[in-house]
Amino acid sequence: MKLITFITRRIIHSVFVLFGLSIVIFVISRVMPGDPARMAVGARAPQWVVDNLREQMHLNEPLYVQYYYWLRDALHGDFGISLVTRRQVADDIKEFFPATFELALFAGVIMGGAGIFLGTVSARHKDKWIDNFVRVISYLGVVTPAFVFAILFLLLFGMTLNWMPTMGRISAGLSRPPVVTGLITVDALLAGDFATLLDALWHLILPALALAMGGMAQEARITRSTMSDNLTKDYIASERSLGIPEKVIMRKFLLKPSLIPTVSILGLDFAATLSNAFLVELIFNWPGISRYGINAMLRKDLNAIAAVILILGVVFIVVNILVDIVVAQLDPRIRLAPGRGE
Amino acid sequence: MNTATLQAQDSAGLSAGTPLLLEIKDLYVHFDVYGGTLKVLDGVNFTVRSGEKVGLVGETGCGKTTTMKAILRILPMPPARIPGGEIYFKGQDILKMGEADLRRVRSEGISMIFQDPTAALNPVFTIGQQLEAVVKYSLEGKKLSRREIRERAIIPLREVALPDPERMLDSYPIQLSGGMRQRVCIAMALVASRELLIADEPGTSLDVTIQDQILRLLHRLVEEKNVSVILITHTLGVVRETTDRVYVMYAGNMVEAADTRELFARPMHPYTRGLMDAVPRLTGGGIAGGIRGRIPDYLDPPPGCRFHPRCDHAMDICRQEKPPFYRLSDNHEVACFLYRDGG
Ligand SMILES: Nc1ncnc2c1ncn2[C@@H]1O[C@H](COP(=O)(O)OP(=O)(O)OP(=O)(O)O)[C@@H](O)[C@H]1O
Ligand code: SF4
Ligand SMILES: [Mg+2]
């Protein structure tokens, strides 16, 4: 099947998923106890203000009409006003989402890179000390929550050793580069501002590492088990028997088939990082979407909740499509499977 | 010891005087698995002379593939382990070779056609990528340009009569039929010329007519290229028609070795006789009709002659000692105490 067909099909599919998600979000936001209009204006506002606002927000119409208005606005990027920040929710998202996305991207790179590396080393030295060492690290990584690592890193590298910054995305003295993507590292690179780039990277390391530990451990374990399994496969024996050097077999003929399960899990871990970053963002004072979302939930900020869930849903879907594309690239058995066109 | 020039004296010697190409001496292979150690190969002795076509038969699980993989040092380690033995190829012990010598053996000495062509092809690389790697890392591959490598990769595909070899290079194994995959595997083993070709039950996984085509193809190629062959098969008819000498294997031991005609005329070992009765085909599990019982548990194999629990002639000594090879004639040896006094 052509890649284009594959992607188009997945995107059409996703539109339906998103549509379903939007209904769920809408229903939840409307069945939550409390009157959204009353909450928007506050407890002390007179009743007529509330009534006017109810009319304005179409709250007196039947639910499906309300949904229509809500969806129409959402499609225009209008999620209403946040009750907490008193700003357009869309503006909040534009500010907080890139911060978390940047963090998650770096965490993803660490998870994938370090996880695959450790897994490979482990598989090649199965049951030797290095394998056992990686195994212990992996268990620790899997069972320890990210916030524990965050606190540990903060105390150790930030406070005790004083090596790393522990607060925010860039140092106080620096001004942010002009916003293009919202990712400070990328924007700094685009602006050619290397001092800021380095500073932003420096700020990213600790929180990204804390967030990545769990996924990294997971990726290492999966890579190790797939690889040591594949090492006993006949095709590896066959390639060895034909005189192909061990190095080439390891880096090419063993690595590619062994990465497939890792890539699938890596995608999930990356997407989960976005929503799991709450405590880490809190600890490192990171102005991110996860923190924003949890605050919105605690304060029943319905417009903000809906927007955050929706955007995380979109990210989840996009990541899944990307993972499917990468897996299909890696594995012709999926790409060429009968019944999928061609 | 340099066996390349050594005359074959220790084994059944139809063509005594021809130098030994391959000599396996007292080879042990164990597998460490959950629950213990599988003591699979139990002192295997096996020889191939230059130009010889040797058959290897035995029921499923007796260690045929394990023996062949040991020769090329491609057993997965772990779980496999080689606690003892020597494997001489042209006088050099493969088990003691360094990386460079080993690669030389693999690139121009010995090649193997695997039992299951589907498992033997890497599922995520095209046939071309796999064949080209074999060409590229063969001994003369360094000097070749990319185009030359591709051209060289096509030649063996033509030789095994695959249609449209150009397109074949860009196909993945999943896009090919079982018969085509088998041909591709044969092509891989024939990229560079070899002195010894190991064919592990070629075509067994395919239906009978295609299996027949494959065997014919293999036979033609072997004649053309004049290589020595080890042919593993479950079909005694094929052994009879295409080999010079036969080994019969049981539970990790060679139990009988003889010139093909001699073996079919005078099978001696009780196990071989059972096999002959089980003609035409040996299938999985025990052997239908021929021999009662089944192959022993390698975790705890029977002491003495591993065949004794199934043998109608078992004596006391069989339960205690392992029978050595007794030489019945120049071209016939058997590992069984019944022939202690020369049969
Ligand atoms: N990778 C492995 N791990 C554990 N045990 C193994 C492994 N490979 C082989 N064995 C053991 O070795 C025994 C012999 O296997 P082998 O494949 O050599 O038999 P075979 O004679 O080739 O049988 P078949 O005719 O079915 O191909 C098996 O019964 C199995 O117990
Ligand atoms: S040695 Fe004994 S048990 Fe083994 S085959 Fe001969 S007679 Fe049977
Ligand atoms: Mg086999």
Side-chain angles (χ1 to χ4, degrees):
Chain A
M1 176 169 41
K2 286 268 180 356
L3 195 59
I4 293 291
T5 329
F6 177 76
I7 297 173
T8 318
R9 202 174 298 186
R10 287 302 312 262
I11 289 177
I12 293 171
H13 181 231
S14 313
V15 168
F16 283 101
V17 174
L18 273 179
F19 185 68
L21 181 65
S22 75
I23 292 178
V24 173
I25 294 170
F26 173 78
V27 169
I28 291 174
S29 69
R30 287 306 184 266
V31 300
M32 292 251 291
D35 180 349
R38 167 56 75 189
M39 287 200 282
V41 293
R44 274 172 303 170
Q47 186 59 38
W48 63 267
V49 176
V50 176
D51 288 341
N52 271 356
L53 191 60
R54 283 188 66 85
E55 195 60 38
Q56 223 181 328
M57 289 171 80
H58 312 286
L59 288 178
N60 298 325
E61 313 266 1
L63 266 184
Y64 65 89
V65 178
Q66 290 186 33
Y67 174 69
Y68 164 75
Y69 284 117
W70 180 82
L71 188 64
R72 192 193 59 185
D73 290 345
L75 286 178
H76 288 93
D78 178 3
F79 292 94
I81 305 276
S82 160
L83 305 182
V84 178
T85 61
R86 297 281 156 194
R87 301 195 308 171
Q88 282 288 330
V89 169
D91 291 338
D92 285 348
I93 300 275
K94 260 183 234 151
E95 179 177 339
F96 297 125
F97 177 71
T100 300
F101 191 67
E102 186 171 37
L103 191 55
L105 269 185
F106 275 80
V109 169
I110 296 173
M111 280 183 215
I116 291 167
F117 175 77
L118 290 177
T120 309
V121 170
S122 240
R124 287 200 58 185
H125 304 278
K126 203 173 168 190
D127 298 325
K128 306 269 166 56
W129 71 267
I130 183 100
D131 179 29
N132 293 324
F133 178 71
V134 172
R135 185 176 330 189
V136 171
I137 300 229
S138 298
Y139 285 140
L140 282 178
V142 168
V143 299
T144 316
F147 77 87
V148 175
F149 285 117
I151 293 173
L152 273 177
F153 293 163
L154 182 94
L155 292 178
L156 184 63
F157 298 109
M159 312 226 154
T160 312
L161 296 171
N162 235 328
W163 286 352
M164 310 281 239
T166 56
M167 288 294 183
R169 299 175 72 187
I170 46 174
S171 300
L174 288 171
S175 60
R176 278 188 60 165
V179 177
V180 183
T181 60
L183 311 181
I184 294 184
T185 47
V186 178
D187 289 348
L189 202 61
L190 291 177
D193 182 353
F194 293 104
T196 309
L197 173 65
L198 274 182
D199 185 71
L201 282 175
W202 205 229
H203 277 79
L204 269 167
I205 292 178
L206 289 186
L209 203 57
L211 270 179
M213 293 300 282
M216 185 183 83
Q218 185 112 319
E219 266 55 275
R221 286 163 50 84
I222 291 166
T223 308
R224 175 193 183 270
S225 94
T226 324
M227 239 185 210
S228 55
D229 196 40
N230 284 344
L231 261 175
T232 68
K233 292 270 167 74
D234 259 3
Y235 58 79
I236 297 296
S238 169
E239 281 151 4
R240 282 179 173 154
S241 81
L242 291 164
I244 299 176
E246 194 68 10
K247 253 192 306 192
V248 178
I249 292 178
M250 290 297 147
R251 286 196 203 138
K252 185 170 173 187
F253 292 109
L254 177 65
L255 188 62
K256 190 175 172 195
S258 304
L259 281 185
I260 293 159
T262 311
V263 168
S264 311
I265 303 295
L266 180 62
L268 289 181
D269 281 343
F270 166 77
T273 304
L274 285 170
S275 42
N276 292 343
F278 170 60
L279 286 170
V280 175
E281 289 180 357
L282 211 60
I283 292 165
F284 286 98
N285 198 20
W286 198 264
I289 192 90
S290 206
R291 213 175 69 174
Y292 177 75
I294 298 283
N295 274 333
M297 291 199 195
L298 295 177
R299 307 261 209 105
K300 284 206 183 128
D301 185 350
L302 292 183
N303 290 339
I305 294 174
V308 169
I309 296 180
L310 207 57
I311 190 152
L312 290 182
V314 171
V315 171
F316 214 79
I317 285 166
V318 171
V319 167
N320 265 311
I321 294 178
L322 288 178
V323 164
D324 283 353
I325 292 172
V326 173
V327 168
Q329 283 309 104
L330 285 175
D331 192 349
R333 287 166 297 185
I334 292 174
R335 196 169 32 178
L336 305 169
R340 283 239 191 162
E342 161 109 349
Chain B
M1 160 170 74
N2 185 355
T3 32
T5 50
L6 196 78
Q7 305 296 293
Q9 336 130 319
D10 55 337
S11 189
L14 166 78
S15 29
T18 324
L20 287 181
L21 185 61
L22 179 81
E23 182 180 24
I24 302 181
K25 281 180 151 181
D26 209 21
L27 180 70
Y28 289 77
V29 171
H30 292 177
F31 292 93
D32 293 317
V33 294
Y34 183 75
T37 299
L38 299 171
K39 299 166 204 71
V40 176
L41 294 197
D42 185 41
V44 164
N45 289 291
F46 184 90
T47 58
V48 179
R49 294 188 195 86
S50 267
E52 209 178 18
K53 297 181 186 62
V54 177
L56 176 56
V57 297
E59 72 196 284
T60 192
C62 69
K64 304 182 294 293
T65 302
T66 302
T67 309
M68 296 304 122
K69 285 187 174 171
I71 296 173
L72 279 157
R73 268 178 51 187
I74 51 174
L75 283 167
M77 302 197 179
R81 195 153 51 79
I82 303 185
E86 288 136 74
I87 302 175
Y88 292 98
F89 181 68
K90 302 207 295 186
Q92 259 195 304
D93 189 349
I94 293 178
L95 295 179
K96 292 203 180 76
M97 276 182 187
E99 187 109 0
D101 285 341
L102 182 61
R103 258 193 76 197
R104 185 172 291 272
V105 169
R106 288 169 173 177
S107 311
E108 59 180 20
I110 309 174
S111 64
M112 172 160 169
I113 300 164
F114 281 65
Q115 188 164 359
D116 176 358
T118 304
L121 292 171
N122 197 319
V124 303
F125 289 91
T126 61
I127 303 305
Q129 285 168 326
Q130 302 186 48
L131 263 173
E132 281 163 23
V134 180
V135 177
K136 185 170 166 195
Y137 298 107
S138 67
L139 294 179
E140 78 261 316
K142 262 199 210 121
K143 297 177 274 210
L144 301 175
S145 70
R146 284 193 66 161
R147 229 196 55 236
E148 287 169 321
I149 289 177
R150 195 173 163 93
E151 279 163 10
R152 291 265 180 120
I154 291 186
I155 299 171
L157 288 180
R158 289 219 181 86
E159 283 183 325
V160 297
L162 274 166
D164 203 355
E166 291 272 353
R167 223 190 71 185
M168 196 64 54
L169 283 183
D170 296 321
S171 307
Y172 288 93
I174 193 186
Q175 294 169 296
L176 310 183
S177 70
M180 287 164 141
R181 283 177 209 164
Q182 179 73 75
R183 281 169 199 264
V184 169
C185 287
I186 296 174
M188 296 238 226
L190 295 174
V191 167
S193 56
R194 297 293 206 290
E195 286 167 88
L196 175 62
L197 181 69
I198 299 170
D200 192 353
E201 304 193 26
T204 317
S205 55
L206 308 169
D207 74 55
V208 188
T209 47
I210 299 182
Q211 186 177 345
D212 203 51
Q213 289 171 11
I214 296 287
L215 284 169
R216 242 178 266 245
L217 166 76
L218 206 57
H219 194 68
R220 177 172 62 78
L221 289 169
V222 163
E223 294 296 328
E224 269 173 31
K225 296 181 184 276
N226 195 26
V227 283
S228 308
V229 178
I230 301 172
L231 177 71
I232 300 178
T233 173
H234 277 170
T235 320
L236 290 180
V238 174
V239 175
R240 190 177 211 154
E241 281 167 31
T242 56
T243 64
D244 305 322
R245 213 151 53 86
V246 189
Y247 281 86
V248 180
M249 193 169 188
Y250 177 77
N253 292 300
M254 295 300 165
V255 294
E256 188 162 5
D259 287 354
T260 305
R261 224 180 301 149
E262 163 76 9
L263 187 90
F264 280 91
R266 273 177 295 279
M268 291 302 198
H269 197 281
Y271 177 69
T272 314
R273 291 186 174 168
L275 278 191
M276 299 286 180
D277 292 343
V279 173
R281 252 187 88 110
L282 321 177
T283 39
I287 297 180
I291 309 159
R292 67 188 161 80
R294 44 180 309 137
I295 209 149
D297 177 6
Y298 287 115
L299 278 178
D300 185 21
C305 173
R306 283 189 170 182
F307 188 58
H308 82 248
R310 297 171 75 180
C311 182
D312 292 331
H313 310 282
M315 303 162 279
D316 279 344
I317 188 172
C318 305
R319 289 178 254 280
Q320 286 145 22
E321 277 177 50
K322 198 182 142 175
F325 255 125
Y326 294 108
R327 178 168 230 171
L328 303 179
S329 68
D330 262 0
N331 55 15
H332 202 153
E333 286 179 316
V334 61
C336 171
F337 287 120
L338 290 175
Y339 304 96
R340 220 166 353 178
D341 308 316

